[in-house]
């Protein structure tokens, strides 16, 4: 018997050694092709790029995987405890594979026939980072081998850090920090026991525990995690019982733009980041972007532009409802399916339920719950006739505008419209609104740095994402004239130089061009100041002809209005196309004393490690880094920007444009408590309306027009449409700030002159103005008129270069 037992023992030993050798060979063979676990040293997961305003408020996030990396030291103990309880309670004691858990899983698999995983957190790290998700024994063996190696190479905290930052939680959220924001709009430090347990329940199968599709399963799984936390001693029993009674409380964080009214600005920043670094850097690089946006000014700019667009639109009457729905049954559901203008929260969609002569009863769009279900309540309201008076002028497509007298002639049951709730002196009501067809843009800029403080690219980003501040190429009309006059003042002319304002005809390539002043007529000999104040086209053409269009083109390109301007006379009247952003930048040069600037929407960009990779500020200050006071000179910021215009010329043109505001085409439209310079601009048939203006420290430009250039109607000039928007914005933007005068360059002389003749005024003479002159210049002693000799001889027809033929044929002349 003993020999038999020995015999079988020997056979068993041999078989065991053979199996062991086979396993060793198999493991060795598998190990040859294992990924290099040392790549975990250079772990750089896709991380969300975050864009902030100048004040630090979050504007937008961009990511393929919504993840924010958190070092293990920043993750609260409660969060760690929840995940250890849910996934691997022996994590800090096992060597990478949990023998107890593995044995339990094998027994359960044999007993039930179902597959139960027994992966530790280390094994999940190995799978997620280095292997596939194939459900095979070979993959599990590779996973176990890698887990042992990872445990030998890295600390437990490092492994847990990798796990908590990599795992997928559903709803495109990756990592614990991203999940906390996505599900609860909280940082990990703010999570409750219930919320932490729910997040720990998700990695096993996010789709199975979706908070809205499977709320019962989600709560059951969350409660199971809470029980494990209590069982493992991480949470007191009473706190666990209380946590299990709480609802899930999931409040998904919205995506896109987070800061009110910043959609156009954020989208422009997104395009710039892609242009600089590419899509992958934007959506995976974890950039931190600090923009130049001033949230307060942005809200003011949005309100001012929207008000101006609505004022124009409502004067043209009501164009009909947004759409129509059936109100015979439940009108709430079909109304809830119509998307409102998301970025105009002041307005609500409503459906007309009944209409009488003096009022309209409407049902307001019910809200949608986070789960997507339509709210049960069906709120209603009343639009009184006095709150829709503007709509009594009905202007339906294909019909001639007509005036009506009853509310029921404007709206009928089933019409879907926008309304705006109001509360005035305790009286609540609804005003009828309609999204305007007219569009526009507003840009506000710091003239000394080029920082764009506010930018609105249209009435509503939800209505149209096309940014009219940066993407729309429009004719600036007379808003371009200051650069013609600046070129003249920089090259021997003075504000008192006199140019003939009289009819002129120009022949080019056999075509006759006859520019005219707006409203017709002419004023005869007039000073440059009067020409710009009254926006005289005929004077501008003669002035440009006298000094040469090549010079005008050079200055236009120097200011950045155009890249390559065609040197033809029609261009002197603003017939070329440019953007509001370019014009605001060019006017900033006038406002800051002639220094070239680079308009910027971004102050600073940092990579995922906090290293600054872009900075808008290019000025240097070597002495600013001093660590102690050693009687040295005060630090001085060295300004290396190019001087593109004589500071004295900049002040002269600024002084002349102050006259535009006080006496000229914008008189009565701008009402600010400080010196303001600006210029109106209107193109042929009133297709484009502009106002560009500035105070000592703020530049703003406004454009209004249809996207498809269409006449806006007689009188729709820059002074009538754009200037009030500028005024509305500046009043709000400058509120509470100290008024400042424009800076007068040293050596500038102020001399009293006759506004009409440009000659020095005598004591007691009327119609006198103090005019700015550069050293060595002054009012002329002899009355001289540019263009008068040619006009007096009857040679009013001038031939210009054949290049102008194209401009004339394209109808770009005759702007005002």
């Amino acid at each position: 018997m003993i020999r038999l037992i020995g015999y079988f023992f020997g056979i068993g030993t041999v078989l065991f050694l053979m199996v062991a050798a086979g396993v060793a060979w198999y493991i060795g063979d598998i190990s040859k092709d294992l990924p290099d676990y040392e790549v975990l040293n250079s772990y750089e997961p896709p991380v969300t790029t975050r864009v902030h305003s100048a004040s630090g408020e979050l504007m937008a996030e961009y990511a393929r995987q919504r993840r924010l990396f958190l070092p293990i030291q920043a993750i609260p103990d409660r969060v760690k405890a929840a995940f250890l309880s849910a996934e691997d309670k022996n994590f800090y004691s096992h060597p990478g594979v949990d023998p107890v858990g593995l044995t339990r899983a094998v027994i359960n698999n044999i007993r039930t026939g179902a597959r139960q995983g027994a992966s530790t957190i280390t094994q999940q790290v190995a799978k997620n980072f280095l292997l596939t998700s194939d459900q095979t024994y070979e993959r599990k063996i590779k996973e176990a081998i890698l887990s042992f190696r990872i445990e030998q190479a890295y600390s437990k905290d490092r492994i847990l850090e990798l796990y908590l930052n990599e795992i997928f939680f559903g709803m495109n959220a990756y990592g614990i920090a991203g999940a906390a924001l996505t599900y609860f709009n909280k940082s990990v430090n703010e999570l409750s026991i219930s919320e932490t347990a729910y997040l720990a329940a998700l990695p096993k199968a996010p789709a199975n525990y979706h908070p809205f599709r499977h709320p019962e399963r989600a709560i059951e799984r969350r409660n199971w995690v809470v029980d494990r936390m209590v069982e493992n001693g991480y949470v007191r029993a009473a706190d666990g019982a209380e946590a299990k009674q709480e609802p899930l409380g999931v409040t998904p964080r919205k995506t896109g733009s987070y800061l009110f009214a910043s959609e156009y600005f954020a989208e422009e920043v997104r395009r710039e980041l892609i242009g600089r670094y590419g899509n992958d850097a934007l959506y995976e690089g974890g950039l931190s972007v600090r923009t130049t946006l001033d949230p307060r000014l942005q809200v003011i700019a949005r309100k001012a532009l929207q008000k101006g667009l609505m004022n124009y639109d409502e004067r043209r009457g009501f164009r009909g409802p947004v759409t129509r729905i059936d109100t015979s049954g439940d009108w709430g559901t079909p109304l809830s399916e119509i998307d409102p203008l998301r970025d105009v929260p002041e307005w609500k969609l409503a459906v007309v339920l009944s209409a009488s002569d003096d009022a309209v009863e409407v049902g307001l769009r019910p809200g949608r719950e986070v789960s997507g279900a339509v709210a049960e309540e069906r709120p209603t309201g009343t639009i009184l006739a006095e709150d829709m008076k503007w709509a009594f002028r009905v202007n339906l497509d294909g019909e001639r505008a007509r005036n009506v007298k009853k509310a029921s002639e404007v709206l009928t049951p089933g019409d879907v419209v926008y309304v705006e709730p109001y509360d005035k002196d305790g009286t609540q009501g609804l005003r009828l609104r309609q999204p305007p067809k007219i569009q526009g843009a507003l840009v506000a800029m710091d003239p000394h740095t080029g920082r764009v403080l506010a930018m609105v690219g249209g009435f509503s980003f939800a209505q149209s994402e096309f940014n009219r501040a940066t993407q729309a190429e429009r004719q600036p009309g007379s808003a371009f004239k200051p650069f013609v006059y600046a070129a003249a003042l920089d090259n021997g002319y003075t504000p008192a130089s006199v140019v003939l304002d009289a009819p002129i005809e120009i022949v080019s390539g056999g075509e006759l061009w006859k520019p005219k002043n707006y409203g017709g007529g002419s004023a005869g000999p007039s000073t440059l100041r009067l020409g710009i104040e009254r926006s005289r086209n005929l004077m501008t053409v003669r002035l440009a002809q006298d000094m040469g269009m090549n010079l005008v083109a050079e200055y236009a390109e120097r200011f950045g209005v155009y890249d390559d301007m065609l040197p033809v006379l029609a261009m002197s009247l603003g017939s070329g196309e440019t953007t509001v952003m370019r014009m605001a930048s060019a006017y900033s040069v006038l406002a800051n004393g002639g220094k070239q600037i680079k308009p910027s929407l971004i102050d600073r960009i940092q990579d995922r490690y906090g290293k600054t990779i872009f900075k808008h500020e290019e000025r240097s200050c070597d002495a600013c880094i001093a660590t102690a006071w050693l009687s040295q000179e005060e630090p001085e910021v060295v300004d290396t920007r190019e001087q593109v215009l004589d500071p004295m010329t900049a002040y002269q043109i600024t002084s002349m444009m102050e006259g535009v505001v006080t006496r000229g085409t914008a008189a009565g439209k701008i009402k600010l408590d400080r010196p303001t310079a600006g210029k109106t601009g209107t193109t042929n048939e009133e297709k484009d309306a502009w106002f560009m203006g500035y105070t000592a420290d703020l530049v703003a430009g406004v454009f209004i027009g249809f996207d498809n250039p269409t006449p806006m109607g007689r009188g729709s000039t820059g002074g009538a449409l754009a200037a009030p928007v500028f005024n509305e914005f500046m009043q709000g933007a400058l509120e509470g700030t100290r008024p400042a005068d424009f800076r007068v360059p040293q050596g500038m002389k102020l001399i009293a002159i006759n506004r009409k003749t440009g000659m020095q005024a005598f004591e007691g003479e009327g119609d006198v103005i103090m005019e700015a002159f550069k050293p060595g210049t002054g009012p002329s002693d002899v009355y001289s008129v540019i263009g008068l000799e040619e006009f007096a001889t009857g040679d009013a027809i001038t031939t210009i270069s054949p290049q102008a033929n194209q401009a004339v044929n394209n109808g770009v002349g005759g702007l005002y």
Side-chain angles (χ1 to χ4, degrees):
M1 179 63 69
I2 294 174
R3 286 197 301 268
L4 186 61
I5 291 173
Y7 175 76
F8 282 116
F9 178 78
I11 293 174
T13 301
V14 171
L15 291 174
F16 173 78
L17 292 174
M18 290 176 65
V19 171
V23 170
W25 174 85
Y26 179 69
I27 292 176
D29 185 61
I30 288 180
S31 300
K32 294 177 182 178
D33 299 325
L34 286 179
D36 183 4
Y37 61 88
E38 293 185 356
V39 299
L40 299 180
N41 280 325
S42 57
Y43 173 59
E44 288 191 350
V47 179
T48 301
T49 288
R50 311 186 88 192
V51 180
H52 297 82
S53 70
S55 57
E57 297 172 77
L58 181 63
M59 284 174 55
E61 293 179 321
Y62 302 104
R64 295 193 179 107
Q65 298 179 3
R66 297 170 69 183
R67 177 190 284 109
L68 298 173
F69 185 86
L70 275 185
I72 193 66
Q73 297 85 355
I75 300 176
D77 290 340
R78 175 186 290 171
V79 174
K80 300 176 191 175
F83 282 87
L84 293 177
S85 298
E87 297 291 331
D88 188 1
K89 70 176 183 179
N90 298 321
F91 172 71
Y92 278 96
S93 60
H94 64 63
V97 176
D98 186 1
V100 176
L102 180 60
T103 302
R104 183 171 57 247
V106 170
I107 293 173
N108 287 336
N109 288 346
I110 295 173
R111 184 191 309 165
T112 64
R115 286 192 175 186
Q116 177 181 333
S119 294
T120 64
I121 285 178
T122 310
Q123 287 176 277
Q124 293 183 56
V125 168
K127 181 187 70 174
N128 292 336
F129 286 87
L130 305 172
L131 300 171
T132 67
S133 297
D134 296 339
Q135 295 292 326
T136 64
Y137 288 109
E138 181 177 324
R139 196 269 297 167
K140 294 293 291 184
I141 294 171
K142 290 181 177 180
E143 183 181 288
I145 297 170
L146 284 171
S147 297
F148 286 123
R149 294 181 178 179
I150 290 171
E151 288 275 354
Q152 293 172 354
Y154 302 101
S155 68
K156 287 285 188 179
D157 280 349
R158 174 58 175 166
I159 296 170
L160 186 58
E161 177 184 78
L162 293 171
Y163 172 77
L164 290 176
N165 281 287
E166 177 67 16
I167 50 179
F168 177 56
F169 288 85
M171 295 174 66
N172 199 35
Y174 292 78
I176 183 60
L181 289 171
T182 298
Y183 282 89
F184 299 108
N185 200 19
K186 293 181 177 181
S187 70
V188 290
N189 295 313
E190 299 172 312
L191 294 173
S192 66
I193 295 174
S194 171
E195 293 164 345
T196 302
Y198 176 62
L199 293 182
L202 286 170
K204 182 179 180 181
N208 291 344
Y209 307 116
H210 193 281
F212 307 123
R213 299 193 190 101
H214 308 294
E216 296 82 7
R217 287 189 213 166
I219 292 176
E220 181 182 353
R221 175 70 178 172
R222 179 206 63 184
N223 291 347
W224 179 86
V225 176
V226 173
D227 288 338
R228 300 291 76 74
M229 294 175 73
V230 172
E231 180 183 304
N232 296 328
Y234 295 123
V235 172
R236 294 183 304 176
D239 293 336
E242 182 180 344
K244 289 166 63 175
Q245 297 304 313
E246 295 179 8
L248 285 177
V250 173
T251 53
R253 195 181 199 202
K254 70 174 185 176
T255 58
S257 178
Y258 299 98
L259 186 63
F260 179 63
S262 67
E263 291 83 3
Y264 282 109
F265 199 104
E267 175 60 15
E268 194 67 23
V269 170
R270 186 190 72 86
R271 284 196 290 263
E272 182 173 339
L273 292 173
I274 290 176
R276 283 180 178 274
Y277 306 112
N279 278 286
D280 289 345
L282 174 66
Y283 292 103
E284 298 181 358
L287 302 177
S288 176
V289 183
R290 180 61 65 94
T291 71
T292 60
L293 179 75
D294 184 319
R296 184 182 76 88
L297 296 190
Q298 181 70 14
V299 172
I300 295 171
R302 169 190 178 269
K303 181 179 179 182
L305 181 63
Q306 286 188 341
K307 180 179 179 181
L309 298 178
M310 287 192 296
N311 285 343
Y312 172 89
D313 190 70
E314 291 184 356
R315 286 197 299 269
R316 270 64 188 172
F318 184 62
R319 296 189 305 277
V322 175
T323 187
R324 288 184 55 81
I325 62 174
D326 183 8
T327 57
S328 59
D330 177 18
W331 49 265
T333 299
L335 184 59
S336 70
E337 294 172 352
I338 302 172
D339 290 332
L341 295 176
R342 300 180 304 277
D343 56 342
V344 190
E346 306 94 330
W347 292 10
K348 310 295 180 184
L349 275 173
V351 60
V352 177
L353 302 177
S354 64
S356 62
D357 292 352
D358 55 5
V360 174
E361 296 296 323
V362 297
L364 301 179
R365 181 181 186 271
R368 281 186 175 271
E369 299 174 2
V370 176
S371 61
V374 180
E376 294 183 2
E377 70 274 8
R378 299 290 186 267
T380 59
T382 302
I383 309 174
L384 299 177
E386 63 191 55
D387 291 326
M388 55 180 290
K389 205 73 176 179
W390 64 269
F392 279 28
R393 179 174 174 80
V394 179
N395 188 10
L396 300 178
D397 291 340
E399 295 185 12
R400 187 173 181 179
R402 57 190 176 88
N403 294 322
V404 300
K405 297 182 179 180
K406 303 175 182 178
S408 57
E409 294 181 86
V410 179
L411 297 174
T412 57
D415 287 347
V416 176
V417 296
Y418 281 101
V419 296
E420 182 179 9
Y422 70 86
D423 187 343
K424 185 177 181 181
D425 300 328
T427 301
Q428 297 181 339
L430 299 173
R431 290 191 180 95
L432 179 65
R433 295 297 193 195
Q434 74 177 356
K437 292 181 68 176
I438 194 80
Q439 289 290 350
L442 188 154
V443 172
M445 186 180 295
D446 181 336
H448 307 294
T449 63
R451 300 175 69 247
V452 179
L453 306 176
M455 178 176 65
V456 186
F459 177 79
S460 162
F461 188 77
Q463 180 190 38
S464 168
E465 296 184 8
F466 182 67
N467 191 336
R468 294 147 191 94
T470 59
Q471 295 177 300
E473 299 273 349
R474 304 296 292 240
Q475 295 178 330
S478 292
F480 177 74
K481 289 178 181 174
F483 308 112
V484 179
Y485 284 77
L489 295 173
D490 223 25
N491 288 275
Y493 299 80
T494 75
S497 296
V498 178
V499 179
L500 180 63
D501 180 24
I504 185 172
E505 297 179 352
I506 298 172
V507 175
S508 173
E511 297 287 339
L512 182 65
W513 177 46
K514 299 172 62 175
K516 297 179 181 179
N517 291 324
Y518 183 64
S522 54
S526 304
T527 61
L528 295 193
R529 169 178 285 276
L530 191 147
I532 201 168
E533 288 182 356
R534 300 295 181 183
S535 197
R536 294 297 188 180
N537 289 343
L538 299 175
M539 285 183 62
T540 304
V541 170
R542 276 197 170 85
L543 178 63
Q545 186 180 46
D546 188 65
M547 63 179 166
M549 279 303 298
N550 286 326
L551 183 63
V552 175
E554 177 192 335
Y555 272 75
E557 293 164 15
R558 187 187 298 182
F559 279 93
V561 179
Y562 305 113
D563 290 328
D564 187 14
M565 175 177 154
L566 188 66
V568 297
L569 282 174
M571 295 291 284
S572 68
L573 300 181
S575 63
E577 294 178 341
T578 188
T579 66
V580 182
M581 180 69 79
R582 281 186 167 227
M583 289 291 286
S585 178
Y587 270 74
S588 293
V589 175
L590 300 176
N592 69 23
K595 287 282 189 180
Q596 181 66 276
I597 62 165
K598 295 179 181 179
S600 178
L601 281 67
I602 299 174
D603 275 336
R604 184 193 69 226
I605 302 174
Q606 293 171 291
D607 64 16
R608 66 171 69 207
Y609 303 109
K611 178 184 177 182
T612 298
I613 56 178
F614 168 80
K615 184 173 63 174
H616 171 64
E617 179 59 78
E618 296 179 346
R619 294 176 297 177
S620 62
C621 180
D622 296 335
C624 291
I625 61 175
T627 58
W629 174 251
L630 301 174
S631 301
Q632 69 265 41
E633 295 291 330
E634 292 184 8
E636 181 179 353
V637 177
V638 179
D639 191 348
T640 58
R641 294 176 300 177
E642 181 184 1
Q643 188 79 40
V644 297
L645 187 69
D646 186 332
M648 292 188 175
T649 299
Y651 178 75
Q652 287 178 316
I653 199 69
T654 294
S655 174
M656 292 163 68
M657 286 197 290
E658 283 188 85
V660 174
V661 172
T662 56
R663 295 177 296 275
T665 53
K669 304 295 184 181
I670 311 300
K671 302 173 182 178
L672 303 179
D673 62 350
R674 64 201 69 202
T676 307
K679 184 69 187 73
T680 56
T682 315
T683 63
N684 274 349
E685 300 179 294
E686 291 94 352
K687 292 180 180 179
D688 305 83
W690 295 68
F691 188 85
M692 304 297 304
Y694 53 91
T695 59
D697 299 305
L698 183 62
V699 172
V702 179
F703 154 76
I704 292 178
F706 290 102
D707 285 342
N708 183 18
T710 305
M712 293 182 289
R714 191 65 178 171
S716 298
T717 62
L721 296 184
V725 175
F726 171 88
N727 183 65
E728 178 94 2
F729 167 73
M730 291 298 252
Q731 284 183 339
L734 299 174
E735 184 178 1
T737 64
R738 181 178 298 177
D741 294 328
F742 291 115
R743 300 159 182 80
V744 183
Q746 190 173 3
M748 207 88 199
K749 298 183 298 182
L750 297 178
I751 301 175
I753 67 166
N754 183 289
R755 291 186 65 242
K756 183 65 178 176
T757 65
M759 302 180 70
Q760 187 166 356
F762 298 104
E763 185 175 351
E765 185 177 345
D767 200 16
V768 173
I769 188 171
M770 298 299 294
E771 194 61 86
F773 292 91
K774 300 174 184 177
T777 69
S780 175
D781 295 330
V782 180
Y783 188 58
S784 174
V785 180
I786 298 171
L788 181 60
E789 180 179 351
E790 171 191 294
F791 187 79
T793 60
D795 187 16
I797 297 181
T798 305
T799 301
I800 62 175
S801 70
Q803 289 176 297
N805 189 39
Q806 179 183 356
V808 174
N809 290 338
N810 290 339
V812 297
L815 306 175
Y816 41 86

